[in-house]
Amino acid sequence: EAYAEKISFNSEMELFSNTITTCLQSLVAHLDSLCEPALSAMLKVNWSTLDSVGDQSAYTTSITTHLAATVPAVRDLLHNSRKYFTNYCLKFANSFIPRYVNQIY
């Protein structure tokens, strides 16, 4: 007990936190890269030539397919820590939504 006050794991805790952050960023980057071809395809659509709204487009199908395959897998892997999954979702939303909106406008 005399040495308990002299022991600190602050550097290890910071290293662990940085590792978690790096891993989550890698997972987000992976999902972003899966969705990138669909976002690029959006740019190639000549929106002025469309006469009417139809079924779901190919780029939407591609994005939803990747989301449906990847997000549940990550959720299952992070099932013991909801805060990390929530953080993953927030990081992806903060990355993907501005890029998606940028493709539209």
Side-chain angles (χ1 to χ4, degrees):
E1 287 187 30
Y3 296 105
E5 294 177 4
K6 296 179 182 179
I7 298 172
S8 170
F9 290 104
N10 288 340
S11 61
E12 288 78 6
M13 289 171 38
E14 184 177 338
L15 181 61
F16 179 75
S17 178
N18 290 341
T19 302
I20 296 287
T21 299
T22 300
C23 291
L24 290 174
Q25 288 171 339
S26 294
L27 290 169
V28 168
H30 172 70
L31 186 52
D32 273 340
S33 70
L34 293 175
C35 295
E36 184 59 38
L39 292 175
S40 296
M42 287 176 65
L43 285 176
K44 297 175 183 171
V45 173
N46 187 354
W47 298 103
S48 64
T49 62
L50 296 178
D51 295 331
S52 63
V53 177
D55 282 337
Q56 185 167 296
S57 62
Y59 65 85
T60 303
T61 301
S62 176
I63 291 170
T64 56
T65 299
H66 291 304
L67 291 174
T70 305
V71 174
V74 171
R75 181 199 61 218
D76 292 346
L77 292 170
L78 297 176
H79 72 276
N80 287 331
S81 184
R82 186 174 179 173
K83 71 179 181 179
Y84 295 133
F85 179 67
T86 301
N87 192 297
Y88 165 75
C89 291
L90 290 172
K91 285 181 182 296
F92 176 71
N94 287 332
S95 170
F96 179 77
I97 292 172
R99 290 175 39 231
Y100 181 80
V101 170
N102 190 43
Q103 301 296 58
I104 295 171
Y105 298 106

